[in-house]
Amino acid sequence: MNPGSGTLIINIMSEGKAETYEGVYQCTARNERGAAISNNIVVRPSRSPLWTKEKLEPIILQNGQHLVLSCRPPIGLPPPIIFWMDNSFQRLPQSERVSQGLNGDLYFSNVLPEDTREDYICYARFNHTQTIQQKQPISVKVISAKPSRERPPTFLTPEGNSSNKEELRGNVLSLECIAEGLPTPIIHWIKEDGTLPINRTFYKNFRKTLQIIHVSEADSGKYQCIAKNALGVIHHTISVTVKAAPYWIVAPRNLVLSPGEDGSLICRPNGNPKPKISWLTNGVPIEIAPDDPSRKIDGDTIIFSNVQERSSAVYQCNASNEYGYLLANAFVNVLAEPPRILTSADTLYQVIANRPALLDCAFFGSPLPTIEWFKGAKGSALREDIYVLHENGTLEIPVAQKDSTGTYTCVARNKLGVAKNEVQLEIKDPTRIIKQPEYAVVQRGGTVSFECKVKHDHTLIPTVMWLKDNGELPDDGRFTVDKDHLVVADVGDDDGGTYTCVANTSLDSVSASAVLSVVAPTPTPAPIYDVPNPPFDLELTNHLDKSVQLSWTPGDDNNSPITKFIIEYEDSMHEAGLWHHQTEVSGIQTTAQLNLSPFVNYSFRVVAVNSIGRSVPSQVSEHYLTKAAEPDKNPTTVEGLGSEPDNLVITWKPLNGFESNGPGLQYKVSWRQKDGDDEWTSVVVANVSKYIVSGTPTFVPYLIKVQALNDVGFAPEPAVVTGHSGEDLPMVAPGNVHVNVVNSTLAEVHWDPVPLKSIRGHLQGYRIYYWKAQNLSKRSKRHIEKKILTFQGSKTHGMLPGLEPFSHYRVNVRVVNGKGEGPASPDKVFNTPEGVPSAPSSLKIVNPTLDSLTLEWEPPGHPNGILTEYTLKYQPINSTHELGPLVDLKIPANKTRWTLKNLNFSTRYKFYFYAQTAAGSGSQITEEGVTTVDEAMASRQVDIATQGWFIGLMCAVALLILILLIVCFIRRNKGGKYPVKEKEDAHADPEIQPMKEDDGTFGEYSDAEDHKPLKKGSRTPSDRTVKKEDSDDSLVDYGEGVNGQFNEDGSFIGQYSGKKEKEPAEGNESSEAPSPVNAMNSFV
């Protein structure tokens, strides 16, 4: 064992065989306060036994069969690493078809002729002994005859449908499935009762091995491997149980107690199976250790009560199960020591502004001292709302500011004494590169300059160095470095790259980079105009309670002069992330005196503006927290309204955080009755926007004021506003209600106003309810539908429009306030006079005959009075829709049917019909009707197109015309010296006569049958009448008298006749049929 240490060294090389030292070792350290022991250390020598000699027979098998080559290496310590190679020490290729299992065997899912070889050799490498053992070579011959038949998969390992697997927590879980089959099966893995962990799952050996690293109890369950080829699918389920050697949940920790104190040691392990816990004292089982009345064992906890100095000891907790054990030492030190501060006195801490500051106060004492920090000589203890007090005594200032500079005192106290230590804190300005190097493009042979202007705290000494591509600058005289610039002369292509300026102080480091691009000489480009670059180097000076001076450095104006700077601020205490407009200054200024509000954590940024537009905002300035002050304004929108008859709800718009001016914002709410002599009643409420005063009289005016205050003081005296307590429903109904009927649909209502005191609220107006009680003509009650009209303010009359004439109405009036309606006045009854009726509900024409029409109707839906009579007016309509003379007829009011006689046959009439009351005539309803057609006249309308003689005649005429056209064509082609007209005159055909110019008919052609009456046409209805239902128009109206006939296609032949004008419907001058010659002329 080394002197002065507990290390035991065994030199096996010079002191015997390794097997001599095999065993379990444990170290014990002991002094007068107790004894500690180490974990058991097991020492075993490594072993690499030789392979057993064996004679291996050659393996001969058919193409496509499966094969397993066993390795079975000798058992070594630790186990060897297995791999397969050939005689040339080349690893044998593996694939989805051929692979090595976890046990070292080589598996062939199916063999191929190329698998034939005599040097399948398994090697075992023992790393600790640096030796490799070799198995005898295995010879395999594959007969390349007809391959085996294809077959579904079967598992080579593991066997059967299911198996079990145990693994220790924290180890790597390896599950293996190797299948044979033809074609080669593909392996897939799933977890039956869950999903495989994404980040801890890996597949090895062509997905035949599933590995899960850092396995835990949650990985227990059933895993299924699936082997599949074209002929089938098989499954194997592996039930995995994760066991665990003991591991700590809570390990026992050293305990320092003072005499008389209580404490406990906790030893809480876990494992699977559950570990067994045993306690030792100074290396001796606690059951046989000297008794200590101050301790009590409760399972995994030792409880100490009223300890004394003799209770000091080292306790060991041993937790073990079948897979391992844990051992932990915990020193229970009963000690009475006053506080001691271990940090050196007057330690100086230097911190860059706006960064955390950590002030150490390492301490010791028993009982455990409490730590407090103070700033300055007479400062109060620092609170944890601004500072962070760590358990080890360190004070953390999360964001150190300039005003954090000063002396800080750490005080450690326990019942045995007090210890103090002072440290100094200095806040330094951060080092900044206020002018950074900029991207440059330079022509070959030119000179480029990079500027790097550094601003730093005046008490720190900076060093500036330049780098090229993160390495040192080339050792070349062309590179010149002065205070703020790097100049590169005679630039070449190799000089292109990234140049970095690094500024270091003892507290911080900053850097800025720019890229240099080297190009061939090009013409000078035109200037580029753009918005300005943002300002930089913002600095706050002249810190006062309500003002500060901000200065900045302008950025490049990009060839357009800066016209102004816009200064914005952020209040990170109340509205973090929200920027507000502070002020604007001209473009030639670089400083601004800013007016500030109390208790605001300000930070500023500056935006430059030119004729192109606004720059992006600058970087944010340092923070400046102004001191708290009393509020300088009071809440606005103060109102007093009641929500109930006996309360007063006072509301206001509260101040925002920016307006609070300090912590602890509250409101002083004061009120008193306006017309009384009471003193003001006041209450202070938290930062809310409403206060309810209960027990007030109904609708009484109150004087109200709301004043803001905070921890510093009160805001100025607030303005007084008037409000009212809650309203109640009015108590009195309007009186002297009377109605003046203006006409049959309009009435005017009058009433007397109610007394103001009885309204008990704000007068909203008066509301009139009116409804029709019954109709004077029918005297029958219907569903009552009340109508409501509201008249705003203090009006005492109103109009009721839209009344129904000749009706019985009731009306009442109610006063309305903010709470609702008061009682209704007694109902007042009035009647509306008669009015003109509405149009009759319907009018129908029924039973038309040759000379009569019958009218049926229904009375008006709204007679609006007593009907006195009906008026019927009618007039005929001819075929051109011209109206004839108007006939006026009076009909008694009790009639609903009337027959008109002596009308013209087949004539359309238009009727106008309306009702009358004593008030006048109502709206009219119109209708049209047609008398029927005379049967004798209808029977004469036959279809000439169906007559045989007519068809023959038409064919003959067509033939003659065709012959005429052929003759004319032949003669015209022959030509001649005489006119065609003369030749036609000399050879006139007696059967072909010239056409008459006046009507286009053939001259002198006639037929004895032309003037015979036409036979009855088959198109005419069998009863020889034209029914009214088919059309309201008479056929006579649209034909030429009775001569109008139907063609085969249903058209009128009369429209093709030689008649020039349509005859009137009443005309009966001719009853003969049209000439077939005329009809043919029209056809041609």
Side-chain angles (χ1 to χ4, degrees):
M1 189 167 64
N2 283 348
S5 75
T7 301
L8 177 65
I9 300 176
I10 301 174
N11 191 340
I12 298 175
M13 302 299 294
S14 61
E15 299 182 13
K17 295 183 179 181
E19 288 80 0
T20 307
Y21 301 99
E22 184 173 1
V24 179
Y25 294 77
Q26 189 175 47
C27 173
T28 302
R30 188 184 308 275
N31 65 11
E32 70 275 5
R33 307 291 289 183
I37 59 177
S38 71
N39 286 324
N40 288 340
I41 301 170
V42 180
V43 176
R44 298 181 65 187
S46 61
R47 296 183 178 90
S48 54
L50 297 177
W51 223 299
T52 304
K53 294 292 183 179
E54 57 182 335
K55 184 178 181 180
L56 302 176
E57 297 294 334
I59 300 173
I60 301 174
L61 66 169
Q62 294 286 336
N63 183 12
Q65 290 183 306
H66 72 273
L67 173 64
V68 180
L69 299 182
S70 299
C71 183
R72 298 191 184 92
I75 298 174
L77 188 68
I81 298 172
I82 306 299
F83 49 91
W84 288 80
M85 294 195 296
D86 58 15
N87 278 331
S88 302
F89 297 99
Q90 299 297 315
R91 284 187 180 270
L92 297 176
Q94 298 189 21
S95 63
E96 289 182 344
R97 185 178 63 85
V98 182
S99 60
Q100 178 181 318
L102 293 176
N103 62 355
D105 293 349
L106 191 62
Y107 292 87
F108 295 76
S109 295
N110 50 77
V111 294
L112 298 175
E114 54 262 32
D115 296 328
T116 298
R117 64 190 310 147
E118 297 179 351
D119 54 351
Y120 284 96
I121 304 173
C122 179
Y123 290 86
R125 184 174 68 207
F126 298 88
N127 283 345
H128 277 68
T129 60
Q130 299 294 313
T131 59
I132 295 178
Q133 303 289 345
Q134 172 185 337
K135 186 178 176 136
Q136 291 295 321
I138 302 174
S139 175
V140 175
K141 183 177 181 180
V142 179
I143 301 173
S144 58
K146 183 179 180 180
S148 300
R149 295 179 58 185
E150 293 186 346
R151 60 188 181 277
T154 58
F155 284 115
L156 298 176
T157 182
E159 298 177 351
N161 296 326
S162 62
S163 58
N164 298 313
K165 174 77 173 179
E166 286 188 358
E167 191 56 77
L168 287 181
R169 179 179 184 270
N171 288 353
V172 176
L173 172 65
S174 295
L175 304 179
E176 181 181 58
C177 277
I178 300 178
E180 64 90 8
L182 190 64
T184 303
I186 303 299
I187 304 296
H188 297 280
W189 292 89
I190 61 171
K191 187 177 182 183
E192 292 185 0
D193 50 355
T195 57
L196 296 172
I198 297 175
N199 297 324
R200 296 187 293 113
T201 301
F202 301 92
Y203 297 98
K204 305 289 185 181
N205 198 17
F206 308 98
R207 298 185 69 92
K208 298 176 185 179
T209 302
L210 170 70
Q211 286 190 346
I212 300 177
I213 63 174
H214 309 304
V215 69
S216 66
E217 290 86 343
D219 296 316
S220 297
K222 292 184 177 181
Y223 294 78
Q224 191 176 99
C225 66
I226 304 166
K228 179 179 180 181
N229 69 6
L231 275 70
V233 179
I234 57 173
H235 304 77
H236 183 92
T237 300
I238 304 175
S239 297
V240 174
T241 303
V242 178
K243 300 292 186 177
Y247 58 92
W248 290 120
I249 296 177
V250 178
R253 302 175 61 183
N254 294 338
L255 188 63
V256 178
L257 300 174
S258 62
E261 280 190 327
D262 301 335
S264 62
L265 286 180
I266 299 176
C267 175
R268 192 158 296 156
N270 198 6
N272 185 13
K274 191 74 175 176
K276 179 182 177 182
I277 296 174
S278 60
W279 288 96
L280 298 89
T281 302
N282 295 326
V284 178
I286 201 166
E287 293 82 5
I288 62 175
D291 188 34
D292 186 350
S294 66
R295 73 171 179 243
K296 176 183 176 183
I297 300 175
D298 185 8
D300 61 2
T301 305
I302 298 180
I303 301 172
F304 297 94
S305 303
N306 191 23
V307 297
Q308 302 302 319
E309 288 193 31
R310 66 176 180 274
S311 300
S312 296
V314 180
Y315 288 83
Q316 292 85 31
C317 174
N318 184 306
S320 60
N321 64 12
E322 60 187 278
Y323 298 105
Y325 82 101
L326 292 173
L327 180 70
N329 292 276
F331 179 35
V332 177
N333 190 8
V334 180
L335 189 65
E337 285 286 338
R340 282 185 291 159
I341 295 178
L342 308 179
T343 301
S344 301
D346 294 321
T347 300
L348 174 62
Y349 294 92
Q350 294 180 329
V351 178
I352 297 297
N354 298 321
R355 293 186 183 179
L358 297 173
L359 309 183
D360 293 331
C361 182
F363 63 92
F364 180 76
S366 182
L368 187 69
T370 59
I371 302 297
E372 287 184 305
W373 281 90
F374 299 85
K375 183 181 179 185
K378 298 181 180 180
S380 58
L382 301 180
R383 302 194 308 270
E384 290 199 28
D385 55 348
I386 300 176
Y387 302 89
V388 179
L389 301 178
H390 294 276
E391 289 184 359
N392 64 356
T394 299
L395 173 69
E396 179 181 353
I397 306 173
V399 182
Q401 303 288 344
K402 281 288 189 179
D403 57 3
S404 301
T405 298
T407 301
Y408 290 80
T409 303
C410 168
V411 179
R413 290 188 177 91
N414 68 9
K415 63 183 180 181
L416 300 178
V418 178
K420 297 182 179 180
N421 187 42
E422 290 185 351
V423 296
Q424 307 296 323
L425 176 62
E426 291 181 358
I427 306 301
K428 305 295 183 180
D429 290 328
T431 304
R432 298 192 302 275
I433 299 177
I434 59 176
K435 186 65 174 177
Q436 298 185 358
E438 297 180 351
Y439 171 75
V441 178
V442 66
Q443 299 174 6
R444 296 189 198 99
T447 300
V448 64
S449 175
F450 290 110
E451 183 178 6
C452 181
K453 188 174 183 180
V454 178
K455 186 172 184 179
H456 59 91
D457 192 282
H458 68 279
T459 62
L460 300 177
I461 300 175
T463 59
V464 178
M465 62 182 298
W466 286 88
L467 304 175
K468 179 181 184 296
D469 297 329
N470 295 323
E472 293 184 359
L473 290 177
D475 187 10
D476 191 330
R478 297 180 300 109
F479 291 81
T480 305
V481 178
D482 60 14
K483 181 181 178 182
D484 296 327
H485 292 81
L486 166 66
V487 179
V488 183
D490 191 18
V491 174
D493 290 337
D494 293 339
D495 297 327
T498 301
Y499 289 83
T500 303
C501 166
V502 181
N504 296 301
T505 67
S506 58
L507 297 181
D508 62 350
S509 176
V510 292
S511 64
S513 299
V515 175
L516 172 62
S517 296
V518 181
V519 297
T522 56
T524 303
I528 298 175
Y529 299 92
D530 201 353
V531 298
N533 291 345
F536 56 93
D537 191 24
L538 273 65
E539 185 174 9
L540 297 178
T541 55
N542 298 337
H543 299 77
L544 301 176
D545 288 349
K546 292 190 177 182
S547 69
V548 71
Q549 180 172 293
L550 174 67
S551 60
W552 61 90
T553 301
D556 195 322
D557 63 8
N558 290 326
N559 302 308
S560 178
I562 296 174
T563 58
K564 65 179 178 179
F565 292 99
I566 300 173
I567 302 172
E568 299 175 334
Y569 73 90
E570 177 198 27
D571 177 9
S572 60
M573 183 184 301
H574 303 108
E575 295 178 317
L578 187 62
W579 289 91
H580 303 272
H581 183 273
Q582 172 79 18
T583 187
E584 296 180 5
V585 298
S586 70
I588 59 175
Q589 286 186 238
T590 58
T591 61
Q593 193 72 22
L594 306 178
N595 295 323
L596 308 179
S597 295
F599 199 58
V600 176
N601 193 13
Y602 280 98
S603 58
F604 300 94
R605 67 184 187 185
V606 182
V607 177
V609 181
N610 65 8
S611 60
I612 308 299
R614 296 166 54 116
S615 73
V616 298
S618 68
Q619 294 293 321
V620 180
S621 73
E622 61 181 295
H623 287 264
Y624 177 49
L625 177 62
T626 54
K627 293 183 179 180
E630 65 274 2
D632 50 21
K633 63 185 298 186
N634 286 302
T636 58
T637 321
V638 179
E639 293 182 344
L641 298 172
S643 60
E644 299 294 337
D646 61 348
N647 74 7
L648 171 66
V649 180
I650 302 173
T651 60
W652 59 90
K653 182 181 179 182
L655 304 181
N656 58 38
F658 185 82
E659 299 168 333
S660 64
N661 286 3
L665 178 63
Q666 294 179 301
Y667 300 100
K668 180 182 178 182
V669 184
S670 305
W671 68 91
R672 69 178 178 87
Q673 287 193 27
K674 182 178 180 181
D675 301 326
D677 297 329
D678 298 341
E679 295 294 327
W680 287 93
T681 302
S682 300
V683 63
V684 176
V685 298
N687 187 13
V688 294
S689 61
K690 180 173 70 174
Y691 182 75
I692 301 176
V693 181
S694 302
T696 62
T698 302
F699 198 66
V700 172
Y702 276 85
L703 298 179
I704 302 166
K705 57 184 180 180
V706 180
Q707 186 177 23
L709 67 148
N710 60 20
D711 292 350
V712 179
F714 285 84
E717 185 66 22
V720 178
V721 299
T722 301
H724 285 81
S725 57
E727 301 180 60
D728 205 348
L729 296 176
M731 298 185 296
V732 177
N736 192 25
V737 177
H738 58 280
V739 181
N740 295 331
V741 178
V742 179
N743 55 40
S744 61
T745 60
L746 182 66
E748 185 176 19
V749 182
H750 293 261
W751 62 88
D752 290 342
V754 300
L756 291 178
K757 288 188 177 181
S758 69
I759 297 176
R760 300 200 294 180
H762 295 284
L763 175 64
Q764 303 289 331
Y766 290 87
R767 190 167 292 162
I768 299 177
Y769 285 75
Y770 63 100
W771 64 95
K772 189 170 71 171
Q774 62 185 23
N775 188 291
L776 294 178
S777 61
K778 294 184 179 179
R779 298 291 180 182
S780 61
K781 291 187 177 181
R782 299 186 301 174
H783 172 70
I784 297 175
E785 180 182 355
K786 292 186 177 181
K787 297 182 179 180
I788 304 172
L789 286 177
T790 301
F791 298 91
Q792 304 292 333
S794 57
K795 292 187 66 174
T796 57
H797 64 90
M799 307 298 289
L800 304 183
L803 303 177
E804 293 187 16
F806 204 56
S807 297
H808 185 75
Y809 278 90
R810 290 181 177 272
V811 64
N812 61 49
V813 185
R814 313 175 192 200
V815 66
V816 182
N817 66 10
K819 189 72 173 178
E821 299 176 349
S825 66
D827 291 352
K828 196 71 176 180
V829 178
F830 68 94
N831 299 323
T832 55
E834 287 189 74
V836 297
S838 62
S841 299
S842 66
L843 175 63
K844 296 188 294 185
I845 312 297
V846 299
N847 301 331
T849 65
L850 286 173
D851 61 350
S852 68
L853 291 172
T854 299
L855 283 71
E856 291 183 353
W857 64 88
E858 292 183 6
H862 299 281
N864 296 335
I866 299 175
L867 296 181
T868 57
E869 63 182 0
Y870 292 102
T871 298
L872 174 64
K873 298 180 181 181
Y874 62 95
Q875 58 189 149
I877 306 174
N878 64 14
S879 59
T880 60
H881 299 281
E882 296 176 351
L883 301 176
L886 189 66
V887 179
D888 193 335
L889 181 64
K890 303 295 183 181
I891 300 174
N894 60 349
K895 298 292 185 180
T896 59
R897 180 184 178 94
W898 196 263
T899 300
L900 296 175
K901 299 181 179 179
N902 299 321
L903 301 176
N904 295 331
F905 69 89
S906 187
T907 303
R908 178 176 295 276
Y909 287 88
K910 187 167 186 177
F911 300 93
Y912 311 89
F913 190 66
Y914 54 88
Q916 290 178 287
T917 63
S921 301
S923 302
Q924 68 180 12
I925 185 172
T926 63
E927 187 58 87
E928 292 184 9
V930 182
T931 54
T932 59
V933 179
D934 186 0
E935 292 184 6
M937 295 179 65
S939 64
R940 298 176 61 186
Q941 298 178 358
V942 296
D943 190 350
I944 187 172
T946 61
Q947 303 301 310
W949 64 265
F950 179 74
I951 295 173
L953 178 61
M954 292 298 102
C955 291
V957 172
L959 180 60
L960 289 174
I961 294 173
L962 180 60
I963 294 171
L964 177 62
L965 292 175
I966 293 171
V967 171
C968 291
F969 179 78
I970 293 172
R971 292 193 176 187
R972 184 177 298 274
N973 287 341
K974 285 182 179 182
K977 299 181 180 179
Y978 53 88
V980 175
K981 173 68 173 163
E982 294 177 1
K983 190 172 182 68
E984 288 175 347
D985 291 342
H987 299 83
D989 191 334
E991 304 233 348
I992 300 177
Q993 299 296 330
M995 301 174 70
K996 296 183 179 180
E997 293 180 1
D998 57 342
D999 59 359
T1001 59
F1002 288 101
E1004 304 302 328
Y1005 188 94
S1006 65
D1007 188 80
E1009 297 292 326
D1010 286 353
H1011 302 288
K1012 293 181 181 180
L1014 296 175
K1015 295 180 181 179
K1016 298 175 183 178
S1018 61
R1019 300 274 178 180
T1020 306
S1022 59
D1023 59 358
R1024 302 183 181 182
T1025 63
V1026 179
K1027 296 183 179 180
K1028 174 184 178 297
E1029 299 89 302
D1030 296 338
S1031 173
D1032 289 340
D1033 297 329
S1034 170
L1035 293 177
V1036 178
D1037 294 341
Y1038 293 92
E1040 295 188 332
V1042 294
N1043 296 331
Q1045 302 295 327
F1046 281 102
N1047 194 329
E1048 286 184 346
D1049 62 355
S1051 60
F1052 283 104
I1053 294 177
Q1055 65 184 328
Y1056 298 114
S1057 69
K1059 307 276 186 185
K1060 297 299 182 181
E1061 296 181 355
K1062 191 174 184 179
E1063 296 178 2
E1066 296 79 15
N1068 294 301
E1069 292 84 6
S1070 175
S1071 61
E1072 59 185 11
S1075 167
V1077 176
N1078 291 343
M1080 189 61 215
N1081 180 40
S1082 297
F1083 171 77
V1084 176

